[in-house]
């Protein structure tokens, strides 16, 4: 594999770790590589960190990813061989699952394979042997006493129900293991050779950054003061970014140092061409709708704290909480009492905090009582796990709201790998941009990207 191909695959690896890298920065990195000695590992690493990292956290990430990704050829060959062996073992397990998940007729007159999804078979392959045996015994016992001519449909539903239970159980166990050691792992790309390399790319998160990547529901009460300080730091930085947005300009007002450096890499770093910027004054208009039902209340606290810190930088913030009904909390946020006092007052006044979820009813109330906030320039941010009664009605209501506003972002607190297990992402995702948001890092990236350009 030549250096260009390895570089582009490294970019894919960094992006799969949620590091934002623009096309212009990819080109800057390539120009920087052309200006250094490729045989010098330190020069290549410095060139990539300088052009691809934006702050201390991203520099640490690029440095660790570089060390894990750019390995000697013999180590790469060994990784490819190990990955191929793992893929072969998984294929064998799936073949065994297909052979075992069958329904046999009386006296073995006929055998039918259950029509299960690939994900169902993968779940079966991961089960403990005793659980596999229970399913096999169930199929045999049902076949022996069955009088239905073609019971396959019923059997498939029973087996799928059991496998869905195990999907959730295995995911919960995996989340528990990951919560004890916070690591960043790349997503699969579908490219077998690249996935083989990425399977070994694991970035350990420093302790000082660990709270950024923990699921917010798992953050301990003793860590809340640290989280508060962390969110204050992030919101101050993001508020400055939002309120001091700049558009490129030929006027000689303020030097754009970052663009100047990028455009002068081709001259060996000599500042031949200077780039400037000027102030852009407009601020985004935001409507925040937070689910505060029993499963969501803890997430809502962190999101409200984040938006509370951005109130001075975002124009006309309207904030609501909902469970079965909708409540407007904007007046409380505008009092600027301090976040702890603000949250205490919101929870004391609320009649819906911790109740069940009815998104359709909440959206109907939003349309009926607060039409003025739904304008073509409004960005709606909906925080919810989608676990609501009347899901079809909620989707219809969300479609109506979408027709009146600029964008809807749905911050889904369920991990992305759980989305196929529920109907909400498929139904509600048709009318909103669906984004995974269960860590402070997710929240910062989403608000930074979308509020800066709302």
């Amino acid at each position: 594999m030549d250096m260009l191909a390895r570089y582009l695959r490294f970019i894919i690896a960094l992006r799969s770790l949620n590091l934002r890298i623009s096309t212009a920065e990819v080109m800057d990195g390539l120009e920087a590589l052309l200006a250094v000695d490729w045989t010098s590992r330190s020069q290549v690493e410095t060139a990539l960190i300088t052009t691809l990292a934006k702050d201390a956290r991203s520099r640490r990430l690029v440095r660790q990813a570089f060390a894990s990704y750019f390995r000697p050829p013999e180590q790469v060959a060994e990784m490819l061989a190990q990955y191929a062996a793992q893929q072969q073992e998984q294929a064998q397990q799936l073949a065994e699952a297909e052979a075992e998940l069958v329904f046999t007729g009386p006296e073995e007159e006929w055998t039918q394979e259950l029509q299960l999804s690939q994900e169902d078979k993968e779940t079966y392959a991961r089960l403990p042997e005793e659980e596999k045996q229970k399913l096999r015994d169930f199929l045999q016992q049902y076949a022996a006493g069955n009088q239905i001519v073609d019971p396959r449909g019923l059997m498939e539903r029973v087996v799928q129900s059991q496998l869905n239970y195990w999907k959730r159980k295995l995911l919960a166990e995996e989340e528990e293991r990951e919560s004890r050691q916070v690591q960043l792992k790349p997503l699969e790309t579908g490219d077998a050779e690249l996935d083989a390399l990425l399977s070994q790319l694991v970035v350990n998160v420093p302790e000082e950054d660990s709270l950024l990547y923990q699921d917010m529901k798992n953050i301990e009460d003793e860590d809340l003061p640290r989280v508060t300080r962390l969110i204050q730091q992030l919101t101050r930085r993001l508020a400055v970014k939002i309120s001091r947005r700049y558009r490129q300009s030929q006027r000689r007002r303020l030097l754009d140092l970052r663009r100047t450096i990028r455009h002068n890499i081709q001259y060996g770093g000599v500042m031949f061409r200077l780039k400037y910027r000027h102030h852009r004054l407009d601020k985004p208009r935001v409507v925040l709708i937070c689910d505060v039902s029993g499963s969501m209340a803890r997430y809502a606290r962190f999101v409200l704290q984040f938006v509370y810190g951005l109130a001075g930088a975002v124009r006309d913030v309207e904030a609501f909480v909902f469970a079965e009904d909708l409540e407007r909390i904007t007046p409380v946020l505008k009092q600027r009492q301090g976040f702890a006092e603000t949250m205490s007052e919101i929870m004391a006044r609320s009649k819906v905090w911790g109740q069940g979820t009815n998104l359709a009813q909440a959206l109907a109330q939003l349309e009926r009582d607060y039409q003025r906030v739904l304008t073509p320039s409004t960005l709606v941010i909906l925080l919810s796990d989608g676990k609501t009664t009347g899901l079809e009605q909620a989707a219809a209501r969300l479609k109506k709201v979408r027709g009146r506003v600029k964008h809807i972002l749905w911050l889904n607190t369920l991990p992305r790998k759980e989305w196929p297990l529920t109907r909400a992402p498929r139904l509600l995702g048709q009318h909103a941009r669906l984004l995974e948001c269960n860590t402070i890092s997710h929240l910062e990236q989403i608000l930074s990207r979308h509020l800066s350009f709302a």
Side-chain angles (χ1 to χ4, degrees), residues 94-106:
L94 288 177
E96 292 174 356
E98 292 176 355
E100 293 174 1
L101 292 173
V102 296
F103 183 74
T104 305

Side-chain angles (χ1 to χ4, degrees), residues 57-280:
R57 196 182 336 137
S58 59
R59 282 193 293 272
R60 285 195 296 268
L61 191 152
V62 174
R63 185 174 289 108
Q64 286 195 55
F66 180 91
S68 181
Y69 182 85
F70 287 99
R71 299 171 182 246
E74 58 273 14
Q75 290 187 15
V76 173
E78 182 180 352
M79 288 192 318
L80 291 174
Q82 291 176 352
Y83 186 77
Q86 291 172 357
Q87 295 297 104
Q88 184 176 357
E89 182 180 357
Q90 291 175 5
Q92 182 178 347
Q93 290 174 345
L94 288 177
E96 292 174 356
E98 292 176 355
E100 293 174 1
L101 292 173
V102 296
F103 183 74
T104 305
E107 300 181 0
E108 300 186 356
E109 295 176 357
W110 48 265
T111 298
Q112 287 186 329
E113 178 185 339
L114 298 182
Q115 298 300 309
L116 301 174
S117 68
Q118 183 80 356
E119 189 176 14
D120 289 332
K121 296 172 185 176
E122 291 173 355
T123 300
Y124 176 82
R126 295 176 59 194
L127 293 182
E129 184 57 39
E130 58 269 23
E131 297 299 331
K132 292 181 182 179
Q133 188 60 51
K134 288 180 182 178
L135 276 177
R136 292 194 295 266
D137 291 345
F138 170 74
L139 290 172
Q140 292 175 1
Q141 291 169 6
Y142 191 86
N146 174 61
Q147 302 299 321
I148 304 175
V149 177
D150 185 7
R152 187 176 63 180
L154 175 61
M155 294 302 300
E156 286 170 356
R157 289 193 292 273
V158 172
V159 172
Q160 284 174 339
S161 175
Q162 186 69 8
L163 291 176
N164 282 338
Y165 162 78
W166 275 100
K167 284 178 195 175
R168 292 183 173 88
K169 182 177 176 63
L170 292 171
L171 283 172
E173 292 174 354
E174 186 177 336
E175 288 178 12
E176 174 63 22
R177 288 194 300 271
E178 291 177 353
S179 69
R180 290 194 291 266
Q181 183 178 10
V182 182
Q183 293 179 326
L184 297 180
K185 297 180 181 180
L187 302 173
E188 291 188 357
T189 65
D191 182 323
E193 187 174 357
L194 178 56
D195 286 338
L197 295 171
L198 296 184
S199 67
Q200 301 297 318
L201 177 53
V202 176
V203 177
N204 292 311
V205 176
E207 183 177 356
E208 61 268 24
D209 289 344
S210 61
L211 289 175
L212 278 170
Y213 302 101
Q214 281 189 32
D215 192 310
M216 288 182 274
K217 72 181 179 190
N218 296 328
I219 294 177
E220 302 290 343
D221 289 343
E222 62 191 32
D223 289 324
L224 290 180
R226 285 180 56 203
V227 173
T228 297
R229 291 193 296 272
L230 177 61
I231 291 179
Q232 287 172 346
Q233 294 170 4
L234 295 175
T235 54
R236 278 198 297 267
R237 188 164 60 208
L238 182 53
V240 170
K241 178 179 179 180
I242 294 171
S243 61
R244 298 184 63 194
R245 289 181 296 170
Y246 291 93
R247 71 161 63 95
Q248 296 175 6
S249 169
Q250 296 301 316
R251 300 179 187 176
R252 298 198 171 194
R253 296 188 61 185
L254 292 174
L255 179 67
D256 188 332
L257 186 59
R258 182 177 176 80
R259 292 182 60 237
T260 297
I261 292 174
R262 278 176 31 206
H263 282 272
N264 286 280
I265 289 176
Q266 59 186 311
Y267 305 119
V270 178
M271 303 301 176
F272 280 139
R273 300 172 59 193
L274 301 181
K275 297 293 179 179
Y276 298 90
R277 59 193 179 182
H278 73 78
H279 205 201
R280 184 175 178 179

Side-chain angles (χ1 to χ4, degrees), residues 362-429:
L363 291 176
Q365 189 175 346
L366 178 70
E367 282 192 288
R368 183 181 67 247
D369 300 338
Y370 303 100
Q371 293 186 31
R372 62 178 181 79
V373 305
L374 303 177
T375 70
S377 62
T378 297
L379 170 67
V380 174
I381 299 177
L382 171 65
L383 175 74
S384 178
D385 56 10
K387 297 177 181 179
T388 177
T389 59
L391 190 57
E392 289 79 6
Q393 293 89 339
R397 286 290 180 183
L398 192 65
K399 181 179 181 180
K400 291 183 66 177
V401 173
R402 177 64 187 91
R404 303 181 60 175
V405 300
K406 183 177 182 180
H407 292 301
I408 299 179
L409 304 180
W410 175 19
L411 311 190
N412 191 340
T413 58
L414 289 180
R416 187 181 298 272
K417 53 193 172 186
E418 293 186 24
W419 293 357
L421 303 180
T422 64
R423 297 170 59 224
R426 185 175 68 257
L427 291 178
L428 301 180

Side-chain angles (χ1 to χ4, degrees), residues 290-294 321-327 352-359 361-362 388:
C290 284
D291 184 345
V292 293
S293 59
V321 296
F322 78 94
E324 294 179 353
D325 294 305
L326 186 77
E327 295 178 342
V352 301
W353 202 279
Q355 293 183 357
T357 309
N358 190 330
L359 178 58
Q361 185 170 310
T388 177

